[in-house]
Amino acid sequence: MSKSVKPAPPTTLVIFGAFGDLTRRLLMPALINMTRLGLVGNDFHVLGVGIDEGNDQSLREALGTFDAKGGEGDGEKGDAWARLKDRVGYLQGDFTKDDVFEQLKARVNGNVAFYFAVPAKFFGTIVDKLADHGLMAETPHGFRRIAIEKPFGHDLASARDLNARILARVSEAQIYRIDHFLGKETVQNIMTARFANMMIERVWNSDCIAHVQITAAETVDVGTRGKFYDGTGALRDMVPNHLFQLLAMVAMEPPASFDAEAIRNEKGKVLKAVRVYSPGKAKRNGVRGQYTAGKVKGVDVPAYTASPDVAPDSRTETYVALKLMVDTWRWAGVPFYLRTGKAMTCRDTEIAITFKPVPFASFPGAAADMLPPNRLIIQIQPDEGLSMDINIKRPGLEVATAPIALDFRYADEFDIGHLTGYESLIYDLFVGDQTLFQRADAIEAGWAAVQPFLDLWAHDAGMPEPYEAGTLGPAAADALLAHDDHTWHELAPAGQTVP
């Protein structure tokens, strides 16, 4: 840990859904890393709450994957878990009932953060119960905050209702709406790369940029999550949260300062400037797809409609591509293309900034339209880094050009391995920094932009366009860009770079 980063203040983290997958797979490893790095001290405690039968010891055994001899228990993580586990407790009960909150009130004091690692249908109920039992009342000696995972609503109306319900009981300053993408180093580096480098910010506008592509491709299929996914789909699952947060960081204006509200103000302005389409324009600017049977990395993948708990005639999309416009002076006329899908060729989350071509080229035998445009690739996962495509002279006697890539990979310069991305988010929750968390107005602006597509596809009797598992999506997504004489940036497997 950097010497300039102080440990978080004494805090109790109350996790609703203590035995759940999110807690076991992401939250507890992050808390162990925070213990190892000194981001929390011996005055940090964890109290799990859930319906599952159990006690302090059974929760420790369920979460203690770092405590196994000969496994992950060896080394620094094992030592950190050994220091933390005796401060992990459990409160068993139904968190929709009052008695659990009375017991909770007797077990916590001082600084308390409540983490909602539960299905979204419980968000409003838990906030109401916490407020009813006085658990959200802050004092000069203790903060009270809530961390809420996505999905925050399933459309514009439900997001507005949930915001209104929660804000009626707690203040916006107490709400930390988490998007785990924002915990990744490369996402946070977008603002630094822009605002700490004059050569980048000077060309970051419609004068120099032709279009922007934001991609979140997954190789995994729906698997056993069919019940959840068939009622959600790719658009709701990824676009108004993950992809819009990336869009906002790319398109925001320089903030007046780097405090939380200044940054959230600028991000909110971007999302409110995303053009809200009419039904006809939504149809022309959106594509939905659904994967059929195929092979991903040599492994057979069944069709989406053959997955457990998925209706055989389901019209739920597993792929979506959108063309969006941000109506500001900086971005007037620059299309933002977003795509996300499951069961695709490779796992790759990236932002591709394509610059306009050179207006004139005097090189022998190389017209301007033959030179590939400069492109900045911001790689979010799995191989975090930055890459700039430029043109150079090819070695030899003749003056001929060749494209090359200038690459930077975080792993080559920094030790960022074994972090979940939640460490920085949880730390900010404890110290009260809301920079990386979404505000109510931005949440609603995101849903407003995708609502025309939700409405269109809800009433469209047609099926999503099929694409074979292990491919890059449906042909209609290629046509969406071809209409503007653009093509998708070719995705590369981890560890490879595509020029």
Side-chain angles (χ1 to χ4, degrees), residues 6-14 38-46 87 108-113 140-145 426-427 429-432:
K6 297 179 180 179
T11 304
T12 296
L13 178 64
V14 177
L39 296 174
V40 293
N42 293 332
D43 47 14
F44 169 67
H45 295 80
V46 178
R87 288 177 274 122
V108 299
N109 55 64
N111 297 323
V112 185
H141 307 292
F143 63 70
R144 297 299 166 94
R145 298 169 185 150
I426 296 173
Y427 179 80
L429 168 67
F430 294 165
V431 300

Side-chain angles (χ1 to χ4, degrees), residues 256-332:
S257 69
F258 264 64
D259 67 60
E261 284 311 294
I263 292 173
R264 300 209 297 177
N265 285 342
E266 297 303 333
K267 289 168 63 178
K269 291 176 184 177
V270 171
L271 296 177
K272 291 171 187 175
V274 175
R275 187 178 302 172
V276 178
Y277 289 130
S278 66
K281 289 186 177 180
K283 190 169 186 176
R284 291 193 296 273
N285 290 289
V287 172
R288 58 175 178 157
Q290 185 184 96
Y291 66 82
T292 59
K295 287 182 180 290
V296 178
K297 296 183 177 179
V299 178
D300 289 329
V301 173
Y304 172 72
T305 51
S307 303
D309 300 316
V310 172
D313 59 349
S314 173
R315 294 190 294 116
T316 298
E317 77 284 353
T318 62
Y319 176 100
V320 63
L322 305 177
K323 174 187 173 182
L324 300 175
M325 305 301 293
V326 177
D327 290 329
T328 64
W329 275 37
R330 179 185 291 264
W331 297 108

